[in-house]
């Protein structure tokens, strides 16, 4: 399987302080990679740089699209990446119906039927403005739209961050069931215990650097503990 | 269906044990079609690749086989399943003992816990009759 | 992709500007109805109506100023909110080039600004509709002369090029405020200073063509009505009451000045747009 994302020696500074301080890794097609670390470790900065939201970085970022074409962060790459940011990014005056139309208009890989299925299964009223829905429901709408795209790479920033445990389970379930064998998922989380069974590969990030990158089960085997426990022990001094 | 695996152990191995248990207990019957990787992964809330790896191992060990026309099936060989069934108590006990030891409970006291549990279960059953 | 971007930018703008336009039209219609209600059967409009119109004009001048200010603020807000901040996470990660994004925003902003302006003029016209006027002659100035130069195209070109320049300046400010140069976020105050310098340059340039710049306000009609029964004034003078400009006698230039002004405005706009594009493409961070 080829790499859908390749990052080489990425540095990104805010003013004088480095947020991403020399990061190198790849994401293989078909794998679910977890970017794990405490808040402030550089996860969101890294993700936003991949999405082309932050300019002025040094290093290489390469995203491989469907037909094998390689892109730098930007509109070309974004056509192949389905992105779920850690904020409410869909205008709240949209109804779920209008939001689906928006995605369908801009993204050729948007599967409208699947999106409707997901929204209906979650009992989301399709014609109500997002602003009239609860925060939890809004996040579910966002997740449904993002996962309904048949993208080569999904980038999810803190997908289970601010939700209740029941929603957490639902989100993880959605990630598992809508994961196509050829596509890759890169997700970030500061909550490790809930998310670790879902990961192929774990990347531990702290202070903008990668401390550890390994297959999840291999880590469990070699260290004899969960990823959550491992992280607490190794990186206690944040 | 099991809802929680132990994050402290490699999940792939736990999945193999769980699948064996499903076959031994008859939850997955002889010759029955095995649900898809994705369905199983979602049910167990684990990574689909890990589940795939476990299923491949089950095929390797002869407990499952793959039809060329698509679909994975539980073996139709009764002997293999019988073997599993016999080995099930031993493996379940091993799991239990390991878990107790990890919790710091001395091995010598384990039999008394088991007896106590069985007695209480018995009493409850008799009481409800 | 431009078409799709245009569709949504247009809809986003409609949310903001249709309402405001409606309010302006409403004010015009109410004013007009009042002049009807207060007219006596024998005269088309009595002194009551006229003085009411006069009073309305005073309030309306506030209204127009407010409408202009609000439009500019809404324009800024529309662009700022959509491209940057939370919604920027969606809008700036679409498979749409930054240039296409900017062009779409300019086109849509221009459309809605013209819409607001047309609504303002229309509502004024409706409001004064019931007041006595001489025959409508669009192109005659109060002294009876016909303006030379580009005719009607002149004032339209002047106006639209000025509006467009204004739009590019508005977007520049917003883009500046969301840019980082050399890793450092441009502080709001610095952005405002840079922007103020640009606006000053813009105003100086506009003032240089003062004579022509105000022609659009005076060229339009000899649509007269009576204020106090004695003085007959033209529509352009009515506009004076509205916006408080002292018109006086305007020297008429020729087409060359029109063209030069429009050209200068467009060049200015292109430069600002170019800077904005450069910032949006490589300096903006969300």
């Amino acid at each position: 399987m080829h790499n859908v994302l390749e990052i080489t020696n990425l540095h990104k500074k805010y003013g004088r302080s480095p947020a991403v301080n020399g990061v190198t890794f790849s994401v293989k097609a078909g794998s679910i990679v977890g970017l794990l670390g405490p808040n402030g470790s550089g996860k969101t900065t890294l993700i936003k740089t991949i999405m082309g939201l932050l300019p002025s970085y040094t290093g290489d970022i390469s995203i491989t699209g469907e037909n094998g074409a390689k892109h730098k962060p930007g509109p070309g790459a974004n056509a192949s990446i389905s992105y779920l940011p850690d904020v409410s990014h869909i205008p709240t005056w949209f109804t779920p119906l209008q939001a689906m139309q928006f995605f369908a208009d801009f993204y050729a890989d948007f599967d409208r039927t699947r999106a409707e299925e997901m929204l209906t299964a979650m009992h989301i009223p399709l014609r109500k403005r997002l602003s009239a829905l609860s925060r939890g429901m809004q996040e579910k709408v966002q997740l449904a739209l993002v996962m309904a795209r048949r993208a080569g790479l999904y980038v999810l920033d803190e997908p289970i961050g601010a939700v209740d445990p029941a929603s957490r389970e639902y989100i993880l379930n959605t990630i598992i069931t809508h994961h196509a064998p050829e596509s890759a998922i890169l997700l970030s989380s500061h909550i490790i215990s809930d998310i670790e069974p879902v990961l192929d590969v774990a990347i531990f990030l702290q202070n903008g650097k990668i401390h550890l990158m390994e297959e999840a089960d291999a880590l469990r085997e070699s260290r004899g503990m969960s990823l959550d426990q491992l992280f607490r022990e190794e990186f206690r001094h944040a | 269906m099991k809802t929680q695996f132990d994050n402290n152990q490699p999940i792939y191995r736990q999945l193999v044990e769980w699948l064996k248990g499903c076959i031994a207990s008859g939850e997955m019957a002889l010759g029955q079609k095995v649900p898809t990787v994705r369905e199983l992964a979602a049910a167990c809330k684990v990574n689909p690749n890990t589940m795939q790896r476990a299923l491949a191992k089950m095929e390797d060990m002869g407990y499952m086989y793959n039809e060329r026309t698509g679909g994975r099936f539980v073996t139709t060989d009764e002997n293999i399943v019988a073997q599993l069934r016999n080995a099930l108590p031993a493996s379940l006990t091993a799991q239990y003992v390991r878990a107790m030891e990890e919790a710091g409970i001395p091995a010598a006291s384990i039999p008394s816990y088991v007896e106590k549990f069985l007695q209480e279960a018995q009493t409850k059953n008799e009481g409800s009759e | 992709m431009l078409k799709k971007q245009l569709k949504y930018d247009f809809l986003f703008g409609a949310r903001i500007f249709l309402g405001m336009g409606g309010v302006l039209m409403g004010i015009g219609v109410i004013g007009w109805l009042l002049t009807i209600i207060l007219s006596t059967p024998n005269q088309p409009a009595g002194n009551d109506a006229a003085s009411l119109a006069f009073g309305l004009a005073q309030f309306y001048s506030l209204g127009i100023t407010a409408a202009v200010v609000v439009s500019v603020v809404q324009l800024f807000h529309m662009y700022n909110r959509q491209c940057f901040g939370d919604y920027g996470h969606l809008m700036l990660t679409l498979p749409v080039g930054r240039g296409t994004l900017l062009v779409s925003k300019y086109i849509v902003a221009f459309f809605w600004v013209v819409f607001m302006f047309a609504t303002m003029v229309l509502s004024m016209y409706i409001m004064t509709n019931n007041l006595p006027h001489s025959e409508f002659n669009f192109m005659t100035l109060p002294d009876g002369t016909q303006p030379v130069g580009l005719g009607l195209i002149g004032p339209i070109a002047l106006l639209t090029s000025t509006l467009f320049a204004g739009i590019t300046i508005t977007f520049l400010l917003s883009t500046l405020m969301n840019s980082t140069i050399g890793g450092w976020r441009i502080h709001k105050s610095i952005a405002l200073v840079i922007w103020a310098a640009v606006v000053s340059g813009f105003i100086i340039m506009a003032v240089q063509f003062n004579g022509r710049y105000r022609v659009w306000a005076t060229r339009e009609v000899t649509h007269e009505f009576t204020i106090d029964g004695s003085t007959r004034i033209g529509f352009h003078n009515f506009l004076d009451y509205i916006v408080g400009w002292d018109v006086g006698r305007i020297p008429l230039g020729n087409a060359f000045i029109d063209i030069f002004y429009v050209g200068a405005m467009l060049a200015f706009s292109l430069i600002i747009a170019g800077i904005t594009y450069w910032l949006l493409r490589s300096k903006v961070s969300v």
Side-chain angles (χ1 to χ4, degrees):
Chain A
M1 278 278 178
H2 65 282
N3 289 331
V4 294
L5 174 66
E6 278 172 5
I7 297 184
T8 315
N9 202 21
L10 182 68
H11 288 264
K12 168 69 188 167
K13 283 199 280 214
Y14 281 117
R16 221 176 287 141
S17 44
V20 177
N21 203 4
V23 161
T24 301
F25 71 94
S26 307
V27 174
K28 248 196 320 214
S31 65
I32 301 182
V33 176
L35 211 54
L36 310 172
N39 288 324
S41 50
K43 309 189 297 291
T44 297
T45 306
L46 178 58
I47 284 178
K48 290 213 271 194
T49 313
I50 294 171
M51 297 311 303
L53 290 172
L54 297 176
S56 319
Y57 60 87
T58 58
D60 281 310
I61 302 178
S62 173
I63 294 121
T64 307
E66 258 182 29
N67 41 13
K70 289 197 191 281
H71 299 275
K72 284 201 182 307
N78 290 339
S80 317
I81 310 179
S82 194
Y83 171 48
L84 182 69
D86 62 349
V87 297
S88 276
H89 67 311
I90 300 180
T92 46
W93 60 82
F94 272 176
T95 63
L97 214 56
Q98 289 169 329
M100 281 198 288
Q101 184 59 47
F102 184 90
F103 269 65
D105 277 336
F106 282 101
Y107 295 110
D109 59 13
F110 182 66
D111 187 342
R112 197 190 179 119
T113 320
R114 180 163 288 211
E116 277 198 46
E117 275 173 15
M118 282 202 266
L119 290 175
T120 322
M122 296 191 282
H123 308 293
I124 307 261
L126 293 182
R127 290 193 157 76
K128 243 187 174 173
R129 287 186 198 265
L130 288 180
S131 49
L133 302 176
S134 69
R135 182 71 206 276
M137 282 199 142
Q138 282 181 26
E139 299 199 0
K140 285 184 175 162
V141 170
Q142 287 191 181
L143 179 79
L145 290 170
V146 168
M147 295 311 292
R149 278 185 60 196
R150 308 281 90 225
L153 173 64
Y154 297 85
V155 175
L156 315 175
D157 197 353
E158 298 280 354
I160 64 168
V163 293
D164 58 274
S167 300
R168 239 176 244 187
E169 269 205 28
Y170 180 83
I171 288 169
L172 289 171
N173 184 288
T174 308
I175 290 173
I176 296 171
T177 48
H178 291 274
H179 173 228
E182 327 77 43
S183 51
I185 299 180
L186 174 68
L187 55 84
S188 74
S189 183
H190 65 280
I191 300 167
I192 299 180
S193 52
D194 284 354
I195 221 154
E196 57 169 296
V198 153
L199 304 177
D200 279 299
V201 174
I203 300 179
F204 288 114
L205 202 68
Q206 198 185 45
N207 295 326
K209 281 181 146 64
I210 294 182
H211 281 257
L212 203 57
M213 174 169 170
E214 186 86 62
E215 268 190 32
D217 263 354
L219 265 181
R220 290 187 189 101
E221 177 92 62
S222 60
R223 307 296 181 108
M225 62 178 80
S226 66
L227 301 181
D228 186 40
Q229 192 61 35
L230 174 60
F231 192 85
R232 282 170 211 270
E233 296 202 354
E234 294 246 335
F235 310 113
R236 205 180 355 216
H237 35 274
Chain B
M1 288 233 172
K2 193 144 182 217
T3 52
Q4 190 63 45
F5 290 90
D6 180 11
N7 286 335
N8 292 292
Q9 316 271 352
I11 294 186
Y12 144 77
R13 254 196 245 122
Q14 296 177 61
L15 289 177
V16 170
E17 289 305 312
W18 173 74
L19 286 167
K20 281 200 221 162
C22 286
I23 294 180
S25 68
E27 214 177 315
M28 286 188 189
L30 275 175
Q32 181 187 330
K33 184 150 198 261
V34 175
T36 65
V37 180
R38 208 179 287 191
E39 284 168 8
L40 285 172
C44 297
K45 300 178 194 156
V46 297
N47 181 289
N49 293 321
T50 315
M51 179 59 76
Q52 172 63 30
R53 209 172 140 208
L55 291 168
K57 181 78 180 180
M58 293 296 279
E59 285 176 27
D60 275 349
M61 297 192 292
Y63 299 120
M64 292 179 181
Y65 67 95
N66 225 317
E67 277 273 305
R68 230 182 327 113
T69 53
R72 199 180 265 112
F73 295 85
V74 179
T75 182
T76 45
D77 187 342
E78 289 181 348
N79 294 328
I80 294 184
V81 176
Q83 252 175 30
L84 255 186
R85 215 169 279 142
N86 293 334
L88 188 62
S91 82
L92 281 175
T93 310
Q95 283 178 39
Y96 167 66
V97 170
R98 241 182 263 129
M100 292 289 271
E101 281 178 347
E102 223 160 88
I105 297 159
S109 63
I110 289 182
S112 60
Y113 282 111
V114 175
E115 273 189 42
K116 184 160 176 244
F117 178 80
L118 289 173
Q119 273 174 9
E120 283 174 2
Q122 178 94 344
T123 324
K124 237 186 273 171
N125 277 338
E126 283 168 1
S128 63
E129 273 166 16
Chain C
M1 276 299 170
L2 177 61
K3 262 196 238 154
K4 297 180 184 154
Q5 187 68 46
L6 279 170
K7 166 182 162 187
Y8 283 99
D9 281 335
F10 177 79
L11 287 173
F12 293 150
R15 282 190 86 241
I16 293 171
F17 287 100
L18 280 179
M20 287 203 289
V23 167
L24 278 176
M25 291 298 282
I27 292 177
V29 167
I30 289 173
W32 175 64
L33 286 174
L34 282 174
T35 61
I36 289 181
I37 289 169
L38 294 172
S39 67
T40 59
N42 294 328
Q43 296 176 291
N47 285 340
D48 285 338
S51 38
L52 178 72
F54 182 70
L56 278 173
Q58 306 288 346
F59 283 114
Y60 206 80
S61 69
L62 285 172
I64 283 216
T65 318
V68 167
V69 169
V70 169
S71 292
V72 168
V73 168
Q74 289 289 32
L75 212 57
F76 174 88
H77 178 66
M78 186 173 94
Y79 175 71
N80 203 47
R81 196 166 177 223
Q82 268 149 46
C83 281
F84 312 114
D86 284 0
Y87 299 154
H89 289 73
L90 176 63
M91 302 304 172
L92 291 185
T93 58
L94 294 173
V96 177
R98 297 281 163 97
T100 311
L101 210 84
L102 196 59
V103 163
S104 170
K105 301 243 182 285
Y106 281 148
I107 292 175
V108 167
F110 183 70
F111 173 86
W112 286 114
V113 164
V114 167
F115 166 82
M116 282 304 286
F117 185 77
T119 313
M120 274 189 256
V121 170
L122 193 60
S123 103
M124 270 196 294
Y125 189 77
I126 288 177
M127 196 164 78
T128 61
N129 191 49
N130 200 45
L131 303 171
H133 50 264
S134 62
E135 73 181 52
F136 178 76
N137 186 338
F138 212 103
M139 291 311 299
T140 309
L141 290 183
D143 61 354
T145 59
Q146 296 270 355
V148 299
L150 293 173
L152 193 57
I153 297 177
I156 289 179
L158 294 178
L159 178 65
T160 54
S161 59
T162 311
L163 286 176
F164 189 69
I167 289 168
T168 56
I169 294 178
T170 310
F171 286 1
L172 174 68
L173 174 63
S174 173
T175 314
L176 268 174
M177 286 169 95
N178 288 281
S179 298
T180 59
I181 306 267
W184 297 93
R185 185 84 178 211
I186 295 184
H187 196 261
K188 256 190 213 161
S189 50
I190 297 180
L192 274 169
V193 164
I194 297 176
W195 181 75
V198 170
V199 169
S200 309
F202 171 73
I203 290 178
I204 289 171
M205 206 174 55
V207 163
Q208 285 305 305
F209 299 92
N210 199 15
R212 299 308 284 178
Y213 184 58
R214 291 191 299 179
V215 168
W216 72 266
T218 61
R219 247 183 189 187
E220 318 229 314
V221 290
T222 49
H223 192 74
E224 301 178 331
F225 63 94
T226 323
I227 283 291
D228 55 5
S230 58
T231 317
R232 297 175 68 81
I233 63 173
F235 188 59
H236 61 283
N237 295 97
F238 180 73
L239 280 175
D240 284 345
Y241 278 113
I242 300 294
V243 298
W245 286 349
D246 183 315
V247 174
R249 291 201 54 89
I250 303 302
L252 298 174
N254 54 25
F256 175 74
I257 298 184
D258 279 344
I259 293 170
F260 191 69
Y261 178 88
V262 169
M265 275 294 154
L266 286 179
F268 178 83
S269 305
L270 276 171
I271 293 171
I272 299 296
I275 297 174
T276 311
Y277 170 68
W278 171 71
L279 285 172
L280 190 61
R281 192 182 160 138
S282 58
K283 297 293 172 209
V284 144
S285 63
V286 167

